[in-house]
Amino acid sequence: LPRFRKGSGCWGLNCLSVSAGGSASGRPPERRVGGAAFGQPEELTMSKNNNFDIQSTFCVLCGRTDDCPEKYGEKRTYVEYDLTVHYYCLLMSSGIWQRGEEGEGVDGFLITDIRKEVNRAAKLKCNICKKKGASIGCVAPKCKRSYHFPCGVQKECIFQFMEDFRSYCWEHKPVQKFPDKESRGTSQCTICLDLVEQLPIYTVLKSPCCKNAWFHRECLQYQALSAGIFFFRCTVCNNKDKFQKEMLRMGIHIPEKDASWELEENAYQELLQCYQHCDVKRCLCKKGRDYNEPDSKWEIKRCQCCGSRGTHLACSSMKSWEQNWECMECRSIFAKSGNYSKQKKRSLATSEKTDGTTCWLEEPSPKCPRQSRESQRNFLLQSPKIMCQNNLSPCSHLELPASNRVTMSLSPLMSNGNWSLRKKHLRKQRREVSNILKELKLQVNTKTTRLNINAENIWNSALKGFRQRNFSATNTIEIKFTNCKNRSKADTSPASKHCFFQLLMLHLQNSSLFEGSSAKNLSLDFQAVKENLYFEAGKMIAVSLVHGGPSPGFFSKTLFNCLVYGPENVKPALEDVADVNVAQTIKMIKYADSLSSLQSTIHDCYEFLAAAGCLRPITALCDKNMLVNDILIHHVIKRITSPLESFRQGLKTLGVLEKMQMHPDAFSSILCHKPERLSAETICDLFAIHSSSDVNKVEGADFWMSYLQDVESGESVVTLEDILFFVTGSFSIPPVGFDPEPTIKFLHIMHPVRNRLLHCLELPITKTYEQFKNKMEFTIRNTLRVERE
């Protein structure tokens, strides 16, 4: 018998048009009628009675009693017609189409047509189970395989619930295309989060819009049935059109219905309820934590960030007009990200109640002002007695170590003269470390190793490149960005290498391998330990320093000292604790003013101290100092012993760690401090001026220096960083310096010309300074704009 194909249609969801005997026909739309998942006319509704067991009835097409809507579609029984059928078996059968209206028969399939299809299939043997009744055939030319729908699912056939509802046997089924060079391994299914093999097999599907998104087929099918056509999309990038088209091609059924969560009655009722509970550690309200009296001190104020934590105004010493209360969870997140609000908050302190008793408050005292932006998170880590005044200069975070930033101010300890001397000292140390790194760079040979980097996934592509078999830290590194748009050939110039290392250092600074706001220590990430990522991070930093990349600049003094002198010789400070809850515990112990309050605090945090191995007998108030020291050593050093050792091994690459230990002051200037802000003097000293015999070198140099001074003073549309990037491709001067050293030539040309390969800038000779300035700004501004686009 010939296999009848369905007519053309759209997504297998709306009615299809097929000419058959002059009558219009189409697939049934899946609509909800009377709360059902599929359209059913009222006269064909299923019924249950004592004389008819629905669960034991057989599907007239596949002959099975299975009732699994996720695999075979809804199983429907129509008592009036003595008919039971799986929805997918009916939908995919080859010799039937819709000839009736939506309310006729079974979703437009007439009962007479269904019986004819049953009779037709009764003559065909299934190529899988060898039984009669195979109503589905493969659409591949010259393929004569027939099978039941459940058998096809078991044999991993593909059924496309779109257009003319094609089915493909296990030999001719469509497969997803995988690049030959794409790595094979395992990743997480982004739906169930279990491991999935990155292989082109039936049970695994790959997102067409996200390179690293993999799914189990079963997970995708469940999600599609739950989300429906309006909400089914890529779980990574939320792409809908491209994602649905590919999933339909690969046999995922996407019903036309609202998402299941939209159909639940009162599904979002809890969102209409306001959170009314006091969550501070010591609630002062005698009527309980749930008591709320508006316009009084017992009014509950909710966290301004999450809204899922609250406090009585009195319990946090707040006024009725204050709006900036944050719970401890949100404050901890802000502390780790360094994004505290600029509004003043009060530090953790003791406050006396009206009855004279002392209680710990979650909110700080208004007498303790916040510090500079760079040390905002330390308001929980500082005693009110040693809080520094908020008078650090705007550039103090560039030059002061993290340990000094907390307690130092420019006056009177740091006068302008002393500050200038300190800057000169840092410059001297950076010149010293530059010479050291140039010595290490002599190990680099001319053999080239190319790394293909995806800037949107900088960490994984860098990790893949550093772990490839032919990678060697002594080879010259060439970077090729593989996701460049509108380029016939990707850029592999030295500027690409500067950009790569800059993005890599920025990623490391914000990664889970480090914790803290500005001055960072190593964190404890068990997954990173398992994957040996701390070693790779140390190796990347060492390679960046020697190969001309930027320095990290975010190491805390404690982390640097642990690397140089060994963790056993380092005494951590309170500001090294990034976890706000741990810092709060340490503060409560450190500033306990009586033995009873100290013992009470220890009792409250007994589990934490026991887990840290810091429990010790407390017989006097002075014992708190040893206890605080034990907690600091455990949390900052002992807890990260394994990551620290792995990180040190990585820094040994190219002999960087050995030089750090030999010249600690010099390396501290680049690892614990951000690069010095560019100045006109710095740029002028960086570029060596070359001229030909017919050029007035003095006049050209005067114009160049005057222009740099205008840029520094803000009288230009470009910045000194723009000029440096225009010539070298780097926004800052790398610790090792530029190779070759930047040069300037004055020539009879129309506009400035740069050569990033040689770090050479060719400048035009002009009669007036205004002409020189206009040409410089026009060229630099437009060139950088084009590059950004």
Side-chain angles (χ1 to χ4, degrees), residues 322-605:
E322 292 186 87
Q323 301 292 332
N324 59 345
W325 183 78
E326 297 166 355
C327 64
M328 294 300 294
E329 289 82 357
C330 294
R331 194 180 304 167
S332 176
I333 295 172
F334 291 151
K336 292 179 180 179
S337 64
N339 293 329
Y340 267 114
S341 169
K342 296 181 180 180
Q343 298 175 349
K344 293 184 177 180
K345 297 187 183 293
R346 294 166 291 186
S347 62
L348 190 69
T350 56
S351 176
E352 293 187 358
K353 295 192 296 183
T354 55
D355 57 0
T357 58
T358 302
C359 67
W360 285 101
L361 301 183
E362 183 166 310
E363 288 296 321
S365 166
K367 295 182 179 180
C368 302
R370 294 292 298 276
Q371 291 181 324
S372 64
R373 187 177 304 173
E374 285 68 36
S375 52
Q376 286 174 343
R377 74 176 180 89
N378 294 309
F379 76 99
L380 284 176
L381 312 181
Q382 288 289 107
S383 165
K385 299 179 180 180
I386 60 172
M387 291 282 282
C388 70
Q389 296 180 351
N390 190 12
N391 58 356
L392 288 177
S393 69
C395 61
S396 61
H397 68 285
L398 298 176
E399 306 299 340
L400 282 175
S403 57
N404 293 338
R405 260 180 252 144
V406 178
T407 57
M408 293 182 63
S409 63
L410 292 181
S411 176
L413 299 178
M414 273 293 223
S415 64
N416 291 335
N418 291 336
W419 183 249
S420 178
L421 290 175
R422 179 169 178 79
K423 290 176 67 175
K424 290 182 179 180
H425 180 64
L426 281 174
R427 290 177 184 173
K428 180 180 178 182
Q429 291 178 336
R430 285 168 177 164
R431 284 194 295 268
E432 179 182 356
V433 79
S434 177
N435 295 330
I436 296 171
L437 293 175
K438 287 177 180 178
E439 293 179 11
L440 295 178
K441 194 173 182 179
L442 296 176
Q443 306 172 69
V444 180
N445 53 50
T446 57
K447 185 178 180 181
T448 301
T449 297
R450 172 176 289 189
L451 303 182
N452 295 318
I453 301 298
N454 183 347
E456 297 176 357
N457 194 2
I458 188 72
W459 172 250
N460 288 332
S461 54
L463 194 62
K464 179 181 177 181
F466 274 69
R467 285 179 171 177
Q468 66 186 13
R469 184 175 301 177
N470 63 340
F471 177 83
S472 174
T474 58
N475 290 351
T476 299
I477 295 178
E478 184 178 271
I479 301 298
K480 177 181 178 181
F481 285 103
T482 57
N483 58 330
C484 298
K485 297 181 180 180
N486 301 324
R487 295 188 187 181
S488 58
K489 184 178 180 181
D491 186 10
T492 57
S493 66
S496 295
K497 184 164 68 173
H498 289 303
C499 181
F500 162 68
F501 282 121
Q502 188 171 5
L503 291 174
L504 187 58
M505 293 302 106
L506 182 62
H507 175 86
L508 285 175
Q509 180 177 357
N510 299 320
S511 70
S512 61
L513 303 181
F514 298 88
E515 61 182 11
S517 56
S518 54
K520 295 179 177 289
N521 291 301
L522 289 179
S523 64
L524 181 58
D525 187 333
F526 291 103
Q527 186 65 26
V529 173
K530 181 179 179 181
E531 297 177 7
N532 203 26
L533 298 185
Y534 289 95
F535 170 83
E536 299 294 344
K539 181 179 179 180
M540 291 175 183
I541 291 174
V543 171
S544 176
L545 291 175
V546 176
H547 283 258
S551 62
F554 56 81
F555 285 11
S556 70
K557 203 67 179 178
T558 299
L559 174 58
F560 181 83
N561 290 338
C562 286
L563 296 170
V564 173
Y565 305 109
E568 64 277 4
N569 299 316
V570 178
K571 184 178 180 180
L574 193 56
E575 57 263 29
D576 293 317
V577 180
D579 190 312
V580 176
N581 294 326
V582 176
Q584 180 183 6
T585 300
I586 296 174
K587 279 183 62 63
M588 293 173 67
I589 295 175
K590 185 174 183 178
Y591 300 115
D593 54 1
S594 66
L595 182 60
S596 59
S597 63
L598 177 61
Q599 291 174 341
S600 175
T601 301
I602 294 175
H603 179 268
D604 291 341
C605 57

